[in-house]
Amino acid sequence: MPVPISQMATVASYVFKQKLLGRKRYPLVLMLEPLYRCNLSCAGCGKIQYPSNILKSQLSYEECMQAVDECPSPMVSLPGGEPLMHPEIDRIVAGLVARKKYIYLCTNALLLEEKLQLFTPSKYLSFSVHLDGLAAEHDASVCRGGTYAKAVRAIEKALARGFRVTTNTTLFQGADPERTADFFDTAMRLGIEGMMVSPGYSYAAAPDQEHFLAREATREFFRRVFRSPERRKNWRFNQSPLFLEFLVGTREHDCTPWGMPSRGVFGWQKPCYLLQEGYASSYQQLLDDTDWDRFGPKSGNPQCQNCMVHSGFEASAVEEGFSSWRGFLAMARAAIFGPRVPAPSGADAVAAPPPAPEELLPPPGSSLDATPESLRAAFRYRGDVTLVLDDGTHLEGFVADARESEVTFWPKGSAVPERIGTARVRHVVFSGRDWVERGREVAEAGRRRVAAAERA
Ligand code: SF4
């Protein structure tokens, strides 16, 4: 069983209840992101490129519980950043278990072995260990040697102590289908409960912009991975079998970003875990104030055209499975007999072009008059800016959101944001370091070290 029966029953009855209540949008998994800081700097991740005061900030236990109490999803994912670096992670997990939430604590597992004693095995808690393939592929993906071996050791320790353990894998252009299938075999042999797999998404802030797969290439890739019925019958995935059919192109889904709402240090992220269109201060405000029709491939939004990520489409697959008898039977058939997989076409893998940014960002050092556009650019800039106010005050810090009437501003070095009326801002100077550029340098240096170690 990739998921315990109690969890399946809880999720199924929750979704049925939403249907009976006629709710069009409901959360399936709360992505509770308690911090952005991490002990790795992966090439495909766009989450950690922030000034140091933002990376040092985190959601408190109380803020985490408030988010969970606002958002009635039966499952909570704890991504990051690295959640095991949060000083109250054990308390947060205990609070979620007390609320009977099924938790996926997403970790790179570098700290898992030493932190295991903070937790108690529970049917509600699963460690979801980040592994992007076998040792060579995973270490290259996370830009640090030895990471795979350490994660595998931690998985074995966690399993031996009775914890639920799953893996989560993100795949990029250049991944080899045969090696990926080997990795799935290996992960199953470790004795984990199930695997979660997703193609990467082309974050504008990710250091590596060249290795995200285009949509058709993603389908072709997964068809090759799943081509052997003999092998795939031994694989267990803790995700909807209809999502797997979506990945191989057996079926189509549109994105349902409201199914996995994301609450992080800046608030409730609009519209999804990946795009940053601003933040809402409550879950209800997120639902009410987001123009959901602007997102997902069918909307025509260029940012969404090549996206097939788990956090956007898993809830769509679950929704399909519970929307009609036809969907339900398709889900049951795929769960019992495995996903239907078309034969590979033999087409070459093609990288997706990076999504067009909504606007070009000014280079570091630029100074602009304050306008809605320049304040918006300041919000998109991953570095500190200096706001020059009407009384001549110069405020340096990070713009975490820019609305029509106010900006949310984290003064340099501060862990507490301020709100500043846009009418008071006269100029915006892009004065701080661009952390996206810095992330590229760090990831590139890490990859060179991994490659050199491989050669040695
Ligand atoms: S398609 Fe992808 S990027 Fe677009 S809203 Fe959905 S999850 Fe976000």
Side-chain angles (χ1 to χ4, degrees), residues 201 255 257 271-272 274-275 295-297 303-304 307 309 311-313:
Y201 173 76
C255 176
C272 68
L274 306 167
L275 299 181
F295 304 102
Q303 305 279 320
C304 298
C307 178
V309 300
S311 58
F313 295 86

Side-chain angles (χ1 to χ4, degrees), residues 276-291:
Q276 281 175 302
E277 295 280 324
Y279 294 87
S281 50
S282 70
Y283 170 66
Q284 196 55 48
Q285 193 188 67
L286 173 80
L287 275 188
D288 295 344
D289 289 1
T290 308
D291 183 1

Side-chain angles (χ1 to χ4, degrees), residues 201 215 254-258 271-275 292 294-299 301 303-313:
Y201 173 76
R215 198 158 242 256
D254 202 11
C255 176
T256 50
W258 38 264
C272 68
Y273 182 64
L274 306 167
L275 299 181
W292 300 103
R294 282 184 48 228
F295 304 102
K298 283 192 189 155
S299 71
N301 186 330
Q303 305 279 320
C304 298
Q305 291 315 301
N306 281 298
C307 178
M308 296 178 78
V309 300
H310 165 257
S311 58
F313 295 86

Side-chain angles (χ1 to χ4, degrees), residues 220 223-224 227 248 341-346:
E220 175 67 9
R223 283 173 197 162
R224 292 183 196 179
R227 76 199 311 169
V248 296
V341 181
S345 69

Side-chain angles (χ1 to χ4, degrees), residues 345-362:
S345 69
D348 288 338
V350 181
E358 279 186 12
E359 71 272 347
L360 286 177
L361 292 179

